[in-house]
Amino acid sequence: MLKPAFSVRLLGDRYDRGEVDAFVDRVVATVERRSVGPNVTVDDLRNAAFRTPLLGPGYRADEVDDFLTEAERWLPDRPAARPSGSVNGERTAPLFTPVRLREGYAPYEVDEFIDRLMATVNGLPVKRPVTVREIRHVQFTPVRLTEGYDVAEVDAFLDTAEGWLS
């Protein structure tokens, strides 16, 4: 893995170059399985924060943020999205991949709907069972810059769940 070359800017959203360089060096070492200190985890990537230089140049924040999001796929300890399946005769919902910088669905809305959906599919008591029509028309609030669920994964799961109820 090559170290990225971020654009430098004097004004606008930018991060301290020294902090970013040090963190990126750790990311690259973790991916290449070289020991230069503690390995970077997915949580480290998601919670990374860098100072904004008061005066002087810094790396473009959007480029650094995009790199950190992409780097999650390269880490050896990255949690895999759990596919939907069956446990002890009950269908299970997948664990959706969280996204931060690209558009995602509001997790609390998705979780609430999926809980009702899974209760319906598994024949458990639920105040308002989910219908095929509701699956086809459900709309979740899109979120950006805060953590959300991967849109494509949620939509694909809803297509699968619609088949379960049909």
Side-chain angles (χ1 to χ4, degrees):
M1 171 183 180
L2 297 174
K3 184 175 175 180
F6 302 116
S7 301
V8 176
R9 66 184 339 175
L10 294 172
L11 300 171
D13 291 334
R14 62 196 190 285
Y15 293 139
D16 180 271
R17 293 187 306 176
E19 289 179 10
V20 171
D21 286 339
F23 189 73
V24 168
D25 286 344
R26 284 186 49 219
V27 171
V28 171
T30 298
V31 170
E32 293 177 349
R33 299 180 192 275
R34 291 183 287 117
S35 181
V36 294
N39 283 339
V40 175
T41 66
V42 171
D43 284 338
D44 293 335
L45 287 172
R46 291 180 184 164
N47 296 317
F50 308 103
R51 288 181 300 125
T52 299
L54 186 58
L55 299 171
Y59 290 136
R60 284 182 57 125
D62 58 336
E63 291 178 4
V64 174
D65 291 340
D66 289 346
F67 168 78
L68 296 178
T69 299
E70 189 67 20
E72 284 185 29
R73 296 184 314 123
W74 307 324
L75 292 184
D77 73 335
R78 158 181 171 247
R82 182 185 76 206
S84 60
S86 180
V87 175
N88 298 328
E90 284 192 7
R91 294 197 188 263
T92 60
L95 295 176
F96 301 112
T97 303
V99 296
R100 201 171 41 147
L101 298 175
R102 65 180 191 268
E103 186 173 85
Y105 287 142
Y108 61 91
E109 291 177 8
V110 174
D111 290 341
E112 180 183 303
F113 184 78
I114 297 298
D115 287 346
R116 277 193 320 115
L117 172 64
M118 297 315 298
T120 301
V121 166
N122 290 311
L124 301 173
V126 61
K127 286 183 181 179
R128 244 185 43 195
V130 174
T131 64
V132 171
R133 183 176 190 283
E134 188 177 6
I135 290 175
R136 289 181 184 155
H137 294 94
V138 68
Q139 291 185 352
F140 302 111
T141 304
V143 295
R144 282 188 176 234
L145 302 179
T146 60
E147 194 166 276
Y149 288 145
D150 185 275
V151 170
E153 287 181 11
V154 173
D155 290 344
F157 174 72
L158 292 176
D159 290 342
T160 300
E162 182 181 334
W164 294 342
L165 291 177
S166 294

